[in-house]
Each structure stands twice: as structure tokens, then as C-alpha cells.
Amino acid sequence: MEEKSRGTTLTVFALLLALMAISNFGKPFSHHPGVGFVFFGTRLSGLPNLIVAPIFGIMLAVYAYGIMAMRKFALPIGIFYAAYVIINMPLFILKYHGSPVMQEHSWAYLIPYPFVAIGVSSGAAVLLYRRKSDLA
């Protein structure tokens, strides 16, 4: 079977998702109270953060590998993760709007972040969907 190239964009998305996986693995060990995995709009801390952040880290690591290897299992993970990001972003903003949590970040971070997060997660899923016949 002929192996298809994943292309530059999918490669960049896979690398960004791998970095996000590494970030998720580190969240339970941060000494900064403002660092914690955000799960359906709620910033986690303590035991929930210790459990959920590595689970998502593993999922993103598997997803990044799936993209790099152009494997079929990457597509459903990508669709799930893109939907999760799209749901998670507004829930976080609604929950913490006007609170000290939102004041921890500058507008220079808060404005572009949703575009990058949704763009990478959804963009990877869309590209995988378009290339699903190339997935092994």
C-alpha cells in the first residue's frame, strides 16, 4: 500500500497538539494556582486536575501520533476534541466572566486564544476528514 504524505499543515497541527499534550501532563504539577486543566468550563485543581489533565494528555498524544502516522483512529479523536474545544471555550468565558480568573490573563492572550484553539483543533479534524481515504 502506498503511503501518503500528511502535508505541512497536518504536521504543524500534530506538533502543536503534541505540545498541548505535554502541557496537560504538566498541569497537575504546577505550583501556580492559576494553572489547571479546564474541563467543560471549570478550571480544575487538586485530585480532579491530577486525574483529568493526564487523561487528556494521553488522548492528545495518541491523536498527534495518529495524525503523524495518518491513521484512521485519528479522525474520531479529532472530531471529539474539536467539539470539546468549541464547547469548552464559551463555558469557561461564561463561568469566569468578570472574575479574578479572567483578570489573570491579558486581552492580548484572551482575544486570539479561542481562534488558535478552535482553529487548530477544528482545522486538524477537517483536514483529516478531507483526507480520510489516505488514512491507514
Side-chain angles (χ1 to χ4, degrees), residues 3 17-19 25 27-28 36-37 39 43 45 49-50 68 70 72 79-80 89 101 111 119 124 133:
E3 191 173 314
L17 289 161
L19 287 173
F25 286 124
K27 287 183 180 183
F37 188 81
F39 187 65
R43 183 187 289 163
S45 62
N49 192 39
L50 185 63
M68 293 297 281
M70 293 295 286
K72 287 182 182 180
I79 292 167
F80 165 80
M89 284 281 168
V101 170
I111 292 174
S133 64

PDB file of all heavy atoms in Angstrom, residues 3 17-19 25 27-28 36-37 39 43 45 49-50 68 70 72 79-80 89 101 111 119 124 133:
ATOM      1  N   GLU A   3       2.107   4.868   0.815  1.00  0.00           N
ATOM      2  CA  GLU A   3       1.944   5.779   1.945  1.00  0.00           C
ATOM      3  C   GLU A   3       1.794   7.198   1.432  1.00  0.00           C
ATOM      4  O   GLU A   3       2.565   7.659   0.608  1.00  0.00           O
ATOM      5  CB  GLU A   3       3.166   5.679   2.861  1.00  0.00           C
ATOM      6  CG  GLU A   3       2.959   6.373   4.167  1.00  0.00           C
ATOM      7  CD  GLU A   3       4.096   6.118   5.131  1.00  0.00           C
ATOM      8  OE1 GLU A   3       4.503   4.951   5.268  1.00  0.00           O
ATOM      9  OE2 GLU A   3       4.567   7.086   5.733  1.00  0.00           O
ATOM     10  N   LEU A  17      -0.479  19.895  18.773  1.00  0.00           N
ATOM     11  CA  LEU A  17      -1.270  19.029  19.655  1.00  0.00           C
ATOM     12  C   LEU A  17      -0.359  18.230  20.584  1.00  0.00           C
ATOM     13  O   LEU A  17      -0.705  17.996  21.747  1.00  0.00           O
ATOM     14  CB  LEU A  17      -2.167  18.110  18.825  1.00  0.00           C
ATOM     15  CG  LEU A  17      -3.321  18.848  18.133  1.00  0.00           C
ATOM     16  CD1 LEU A  17      -3.889  18.016  16.988  1.00  0.00           C
ATOM     17  CD2 LEU A  17      -4.406  19.218  19.118  1.00  0.00           C
ATOM     18  N   ALA A  18       0.813  17.840  20.103  1.00  0.00           N
ATOM     19  CA  ALA A  18       1.780  17.148  20.965  1.00  0.00           C
ATOM     20  C   ALA A  18       2.262  18.080  22.075  1.00  0.00           C
ATOM     21  O   ALA A  18       2.401  17.657  23.231  1.00  0.00           O
ATOM     22  CB  ALA A  18       2.954  16.633  20.134  1.00  0.00           C
ATOM     23  N   LEU A  19       2.497  19.349  21.735  1.00  0.00           N
ATOM     24  CA  LEU A  19       2.876  20.327  22.762  1.00  0.00           C
ATOM     25  C   LEU A  19       1.757  20.509  23.788  1.00  0.00           C
ATOM     26  O   LEU A  19       2.013  20.639  24.988  1.00  0.00           O
ATOM     27  CB  LEU A  19       3.226  21.671  22.126  1.00  0.00           C
ATOM     28  CG  LEU A  19       4.554  21.734  21.380  1.00  0.00           C
ATOM     29  CD1 LEU A  19       4.690  23.071  20.646  1.00  0.00           C
ATOM     30  CD2 LEU A  19       5.723  21.516  22.319  1.00  0.00           C
ATOM     31  N   PHE A  25       0.109  17.178  30.667  1.00  0.00           N
ATOM     32  CA  PHE A  25       0.794  16.317  31.624  1.00  0.00           C
ATOM     33  C   PHE A  25       1.410  17.128  32.767  1.00  0.00           C
ATOM     34  O   PHE A  25       1.504  16.659  33.892  1.00  0.00           O
ATOM     35  CB  PHE A  25       1.893  15.486  30.944  1.00  0.00           C
ATOM     36  CG  PHE A  25       1.367  14.365  30.104  1.00  0.00           C
ATOM     37  CD1 PHE A  25       1.708  14.274  28.772  1.00  0.00           C
ATOM     38  CD2 PHE A  25       0.534  13.383  30.638  1.00  0.00           C
ATOM     39  CE1 PHE A  25       1.236  13.235  27.979  1.00  0.00           C
ATOM     40  CE2 PHE A  25       0.052  12.348  29.860  1.00  0.00           C
ATOM     41  CZ  PHE A  25       0.402  12.269  28.528  1.00  0.00           C
ATOM     42  N   LYS A  27       0.259  20.085  34.010  1.00  0.00           N
ATOM     43  CA  LYS A  27      -0.686  20.907  34.782  1.00  0.00           C
ATOM     44  C   LYS A  27      -0.873  20.446  36.228  1.00  0.00           C
ATOM     45  O   LYS A  27      -0.957  21.280  37.123  1.00  0.00           O
ATOM     46  CB  LYS A  27      -2.019  21.009  34.060  1.00  0.00           C
ATOM     47  CG  LYS A  27      -1.892  21.929  32.858  1.00  0.00           C
ATOM     48  CD  LYS A  27      -3.173  22.155  32.133  1.00  0.00           C
ATOM     49  CE  LYS A  27      -2.848  23.084  30.964  1.00  0.00           C
ATOM     50  NZ  LYS A  27      -3.976  23.461  30.201  1.00  0.00           N
ATOM     51  N   PRO A  28      -0.911  19.156  36.517  1.00  0.00           N
ATOM     52  CA  PRO A  28      -1.075  18.759  37.918  1.00  0.00           C
ATOM     53  C   PRO A  28       0.128  19.112  38.801  1.00  0.00           C
ATOM     54  O   PRO A  28       0.020  19.113  40.019  1.00  0.00           O
ATOM     55  CB  PRO A  28      -1.239  17.239  37.854  1.00  0.00           C
ATOM     56  CG  PRO A  28      -1.681  16.958  36.468  1.00  0.00           C
ATOM     57  CD  PRO A  28      -1.042  18.014  35.613  1.00  0.00           C
ATOM     58  N   GLY A  36      -4.370  24.998  35.683  1.00  0.00           N
ATOM     59  CA  GLY A  36      -5.162  23.796  35.902  1.00  0.00           C
ATOM     60  C   GLY A  36      -5.907  23.479  34.630  1.00  0.00           C
ATOM     61  O   GLY A  36      -6.199  24.360  33.822  1.00  0.00           O
ATOM     62  N   PHE A  37      -6.193  22.227  34.423  1.00  0.00           N
ATOM     63  CA  PHE A  37      -6.917  21.813  33.231  1.00  0.00           C
ATOM     64  C   PHE A  37      -8.336  22.383  33.296  1.00  0.00           C
ATOM     65  O   PHE A  37      -8.971  22.363  34.348  1.00  0.00           O
ATOM     66  CB  PHE A  37      -6.962  20.284  33.140  1.00  0.00           C
ATOM     67  CG  PHE A  37      -7.518  19.790  31.849  1.00  0.00           C
ATOM     68  CD1 PHE A  37      -6.721  19.730  30.727  1.00  0.00           C
ATOM     69  CD2 PHE A  37      -8.838  19.419  31.751  1.00  0.00           C
ATOM     70  CE1 PHE A  37      -7.235  19.295  29.517  1.00  0.00           C
ATOM     71  CE2 PHE A  37      -9.367  18.976  30.549  1.00  0.00           C
ATOM     72  CZ  PHE A  37      -8.564  18.917  29.433  1.00  0.00           C
ATOM     73  N   PHE A  39     -11.978  21.835  32.317  1.00  0.00           N
ATOM     74  CA  PHE A  39     -12.852  20.738  31.911  1.00  0.00           C
ATOM     75  C   PHE A  39     -14.294  21.234  31.889  1.00  0.00           C
ATOM     76  O   PHE A  39     -14.867  21.558  32.925  1.00  0.00           O
ATOM     77  CB  PHE A  39     -12.695  19.574  32.889  1.00  0.00           C
ATOM     78  CG  PHE A  39     -13.421  18.325  32.500  1.00  0.00           C
ATOM     79  CD1 PHE A  39     -13.061  17.625  31.362  1.00  0.00           C
ATOM     80  CD2 PHE A  39     -14.453  17.848  33.273  1.00  0.00           C
ATOM     81  CE1 PHE A  39     -13.723  16.464  31.004  1.00  0.00           C
ATOM     82  CE2 PHE A  39     -15.125  16.692  32.922  1.00  0.00           C
ATOM     83  CZ  PHE A  39     -14.756  15.993  31.785  1.00  0.00           C
ATOM     84  N   ARG A  43     -12.057  25.369  35.718  1.00  0.00           N
ATOM     85  CA  ARG A  43     -10.627  25.129  35.937  1.00  0.00           C
ATOM     86  C   ARG A  43     -10.480  24.169  37.106  1.00  0.00           C
ATOM     87  O   ARG A  43     -10.956  24.432  38.210  1.00  0.00           O
ATOM     88  CB  ARG A  43      -9.885  26.417  36.243  1.00  0.00           C
ATOM     89  CG  ARG A  43      -8.386  26.150  36.405  1.00  0.00           C
ATOM     90  CD  ARG A  43      -7.629  27.335  36.875  1.00  0.00           C
ATOM     91  NE  ARG A  43      -7.551  28.338  35.844  1.00  0.00           N
ATOM     92  CZ  ARG A  43      -7.227  29.605  36.083  1.00  0.00           C
ATOM     93  NH1 ARG A  43      -6.981  30.008  37.304  1.00  0.00           N
ATOM     94  NH2 ARG A  43      -7.160  30.468  35.108  1.00  0.00           N
ATOM     95  N   SER A  45      -8.448  21.747  39.924  1.00  0.00           N
ATOM     96  CA  SER A  45      -7.283  21.765  40.801  1.00  0.00           C
ATOM     97  C   SER A  45      -7.341  20.492  41.641  1.00  0.00           C
ATOM     98  O   SER A  45      -8.345  19.777  41.645  1.00  0.00           O
ATOM     99  CB  SER A  45      -7.282  23.008  41.696  1.00  0.00           C
ATOM    100  OG  SER A  45      -8.410  23.013  42.529  1.00  0.00           O
ATOM    101  N   ASN A  49      -7.809  17.587  38.845  1.00  0.00           N
ATOM    102  CA  ASN A  49      -6.795  18.015  37.892  1.00  0.00           C
ATOM    103  C   ASN A  49      -5.762  16.905  37.683  1.00  0.00           C
ATOM    104  O   ASN A  49      -5.326  16.659  36.558  1.00  0.00           O
ATOM    105  CB  ASN A  49      -6.117  19.293  38.389  1.00  0.00           C
ATOM    106  CG  ASN A  49      -5.258  19.956  37.343  1.00  0.00           C
ATOM    107  OD1 ASN A  49      -5.602  20.008  36.170  1.00  0.00           O
ATOM    108  ND2 ASN A  49      -4.128  20.473  37.773  1.00  0.00           N
ATOM    109  N   LEU A  50      -5.388  16.226  38.754  1.00  0.00           N
ATOM    110  CA  LEU A  50      -4.410  15.138  38.689  1.00  0.00           C
ATOM    111  C   LEU A  50      -4.915  13.972  37.847  1.00  0.00           C
ATOM    112  O   LEU A  50      -4.134  13.262  37.221  1.00  0.00           O
ATOM    113  CB  LEU A  50      -4.073  14.665  40.110  1.00  0.00           C
ATOM    114  CG  LEU A  50      -2.973  13.622  40.253  1.00  0.00           C
ATOM    115  CD1 LEU A  50      -1.640  14.167  39.767  1.00  0.00           C
ATOM    116  CD2 LEU A  50      -2.870  13.195  41.708  1.00  0.00           C
ATOM    117  N   MET A  68       0.394  12.106  12.707  1.00  0.00           N
ATOM    118  CA  MET A  68       1.728  11.918  12.125  1.00  0.00           C
ATOM    119  C   MET A  68       1.800  10.628  11.299  1.00  0.00           C
ATOM    120  O   MET A  68       2.439  10.600  10.250  1.00  0.00           O
ATOM    121  CB  MET A  68       2.800  11.890  13.219  1.00  0.00           C
ATOM    122  CG  MET A  68       2.976  13.217  13.933  1.00  0.00           C
ATOM    123  SD  MET A  68       3.545  14.564  12.889  1.00  0.00           S
ATOM    124  CE  MET A  68       5.278  14.203  12.794  1.00  0.00           C
ATOM    125  N   MET A  70      -0.867   9.183  10.003  1.00  0.00           N
ATOM    126  CA  MET A  70      -2.031   9.146   9.100  1.00  0.00           C
ATOM    127  C   MET A  70      -2.868   7.884   9.343  1.00  0.00           C
ATOM    128  O   MET A  70      -3.190   7.136   8.427  1.00  0.00           O
ATOM    129  CB  MET A  70      -1.597   9.255   7.639  1.00  0.00           C
ATOM    130  CG  MET A  70      -0.998  10.596   7.270  1.00  0.00           C
ATOM    131  SD  MET A  70      -2.176  11.967   7.389  1.00  0.00           S
ATOM    132  CE  MET A  70      -3.195  11.669   5.942  1.00  0.00           C
ATOM    133  N   LYS A  72      -6.364   5.914  10.799  1.00  0.00           N
ATOM    134  CA  LYS A  72      -7.819   6.132  10.809  1.00  0.00           C
ATOM    135  C   LYS A  72      -8.354   6.545  12.178  1.00  0.00           C
ATOM    136  O   LYS A  72      -9.294   7.324  12.266  1.00  0.00           O
ATOM    137  CB  LYS A  72      -8.543   4.871  10.336  1.00  0.00           C
ATOM    138  CG  LYS A  72      -8.426   4.622   8.874  1.00  0.00           C
ATOM    139  CD  LYS A  72      -9.190   3.384   8.452  1.00  0.00           C
ATOM    140  CE  LYS A  72      -8.968   3.176   6.961  1.00  0.00           C
ATOM    141  NZ  LYS A  72      -9.660   2.002   6.465  1.00  0.00           N
ATOM    142  N   ILE A  79     -12.491  14.719  15.775  1.00  0.00           N
ATOM    143  CA  ILE A  79     -13.859  15.245  15.797  1.00  0.00           C
ATOM    144  C   ILE A  79     -14.305  15.477  17.243  1.00  0.00           C
ATOM    145  O   ILE A  79     -14.862  16.521  17.581  1.00  0.00           O
ATOM    146  CB  ILE A  79     -14.819  14.301  15.050  1.00  0.00           C
ATOM    147  CG1 ILE A  79     -14.488  14.315  13.548  1.00  0.00           C
ATOM    148  CG2 ILE A  79     -16.281  14.682  15.302  1.00  0.00           C
ATOM    149  CD1 ILE A  79     -15.155  13.216  12.754  1.00  0.00           C
ATOM    150  N   PHE A  80     -14.028  14.493  18.116  1.00  0.00           N
ATOM    151  CA  PHE A  80     -14.366  14.647  19.532  1.00  0.00           C
ATOM    152  C   PHE A  80     -13.658  15.859  20.128  1.00  0.00           C
ATOM    153  O   PHE A  80     -14.281  16.683  20.805  1.00  0.00           O
ATOM    154  CB  PHE A  80     -13.996  13.384  20.321  1.00  0.00           C
ATOM    155  CG  PHE A  80     -13.988  13.615  21.811  1.00  0.00           C
ATOM    156  CD1 PHE A  80     -15.170  13.629  22.520  1.00  0.00           C
ATOM    157  CD2 PHE A  80     -12.796  13.842  22.486  1.00  0.00           C
ATOM    158  CE1 PHE A  80     -15.166  13.875  23.900  1.00  0.00           C
ATOM    159  CE2 PHE A  80     -12.782  14.084  23.851  1.00  0.00           C
ATOM    160  CZ  PHE A  80     -13.970  14.097  24.556  1.00  0.00           C
ATOM    161  N   MET A  89     -14.678  26.402  25.413  1.00  0.00           N
ATOM    162  CA  MET A  89     -14.320  27.832  25.375  1.00  0.00           C
ATOM    163  C   MET A  89     -15.438  28.732  25.914  1.00  0.00           C
ATOM    164  O   MET A  89     -15.214  29.495  26.844  1.00  0.00           O
ATOM    165  CB  MET A  89     -13.983  28.268  23.960  1.00  0.00           C
ATOM    166  CG  MET A  89     -12.666  27.836  23.480  1.00  0.00           C
ATOM    167  SD  MET A  89     -11.431  28.906  24.165  1.00  0.00           S
ATOM    168  CE  MET A  89     -10.026  27.968  23.727  1.00  0.00           C
ATOM    169  N   VAL A 101     -10.240  35.215  37.765  1.00  0.00           N
ATOM    170  CA  VAL A 101      -9.639  34.239  36.841  1.00  0.00           C
ATOM    171  C   VAL A 101      -9.406  34.879  35.479  1.00  0.00           C
ATOM    172  O   VAL A 101      -8.342  34.706  34.875  1.00  0.00           O
ATOM    173  CB  VAL A 101     -10.537  32.981  36.710  1.00  0.00           C
ATOM    174  CG1 VAL A 101     -10.054  32.074  35.593  1.00  0.00           C
ATOM    175  CG2 VAL A 101     -10.583  32.228  38.026  1.00  0.00           C
ATOM    176  N   ILE A 111      -7.973  37.339  23.520  1.00  0.00           N
ATOM    177  CA  ILE A 111      -8.649  37.517  22.231  1.00  0.00           C
ATOM    178  C   ILE A 111      -8.188  36.497  21.187  1.00  0.00           C
ATOM    179  O   ILE A 111      -9.021  35.830  20.588  1.00  0.00           O
ATOM    180  CB  ILE A 111      -8.510  38.970  21.734  1.00  0.00           C
ATOM    181  CG1 ILE A 111      -9.332  39.879  22.662  1.00  0.00           C
ATOM    182  CG2 ILE A 111      -8.981  39.112  20.289  1.00  0.00           C
ATOM    183  CD1 ILE A 111      -9.185  41.354  22.403  1.00  0.00           C
ATOM    184  N   GLY A 119      -9.180  26.921  15.836  1.00  0.00           N
ATOM    185  CA  GLY A 119      -8.599  26.746  14.504  1.00  0.00           C
ATOM    186  C   GLY A 119      -7.755  25.501  14.386  1.00  0.00           C
ATOM    187  O   GLY A 119      -7.865  24.749  13.410  1.00  0.00           O
ATOM    188  N   ALA A 124      -7.485  20.592  12.159  1.00  0.00           N
ATOM    189  CA  ALA A 124      -6.924  19.241  12.050  1.00  0.00           C
ATOM    190  C   ALA A 124      -8.011  18.223  11.724  1.00  0.00           C
ATOM    191  O   ALA A 124      -7.835  17.360  10.863  1.00  0.00           O
ATOM    192  CB  ALA A 124      -6.201  18.870  13.339  1.00  0.00           C
ATOM    193  N   SER A 133      -9.583   9.095   2.997  1.00  0.00           N
ATOM    194  CA  SER A 133      -9.213   7.971   2.132  1.00  0.00           C
ATOM    195  C   SER A 133      -7.707   7.688   2.175  1.00  0.00           C
ATOM    196  O   SER A 133      -7.259   6.611   1.791  1.00  0.00           O
ATOM    197  CB  SER A 133      -9.645   8.255   0.680  1.00  0.00           C
ATOM    198  OG  SER A 133      -8.948   9.369   0.157  1.00  0.00           O
TER     199      SER A 133
END
